[in-house]
Amino acid sequence: MRGEVDALFRGAPTHPVTQALQPFLQMPFGITRERLGAVLDGMEMDLRQNRYLDFPALRRYAHLVAGVVGEMSASIFGYRQPATLEYAARLGWHCS
């Protein structure tokens, strides 16, 4: 999947989902390689483990699978207040 994300940002996606996503990368939606990579990191964590022995590890996981998604969602919805991104990130680790 990471190869497809790389292809997406090179302008040569091959999967139907990334092909549909490509036109929106140029718009101010906050869909970045870093954010998509973070979501993939969280998905990989889902495959490797199901328990976290300390709060920092759990918080990192929650940030990757929920906080980053909240940040991208806020960008897509057109947030206007800078604090919105901080709130979205914090909400992600409170709700996961």
Side-chain angles (χ1 to χ4, degrees):
M1 190 69 207
R2 288 188 193 276
E4 185 61 21
V5 171
D6 290 339
L8 170 65
F9 283 92
R10 278 195 320 270
T14 59
H15 191 277
V17 171
T18 50
Q19 289 173 342
L21 182 60
Q22 186 180 18
F24 301 99
L25 296 181
Q26 301 302 318
M27 297 180 181
F29 289 139
I31 301 170
T32 65
R33 180 188 310 255
E34 292 77 19
R35 284 179 171 165
L36 289 178
V39 172
L40 290 176
D41 289 345
M43 293 168 73
E44 287 175 352
M45 291 173 79
D46 281 333
L47 297 173
R48 289 193 312 261
Q49 65 191 91
N50 61 7
R51 299 183 120 179
Y52 295 91
L53 300 178
D54 58 34
F55 188 72
L58 177 61
R59 188 172 183 177
R60 180 177 187 278
Y61 168 74
H63 170 71
L64 295 174
V65 300
V68 174
V69 174
E71 292 169 2
M72 281 196 292
S73 296
S75 295
I76 290 168
F77 297 143
Y79 76 95
R80 290 191 177 20
Q81 301 297 322
T84 301
L85 288 184
E86 180 183 329
Y87 177 74
R90 284 191 4 231
L91 185 61
W93 64 263
H94 282 297
C95 292
S96 296

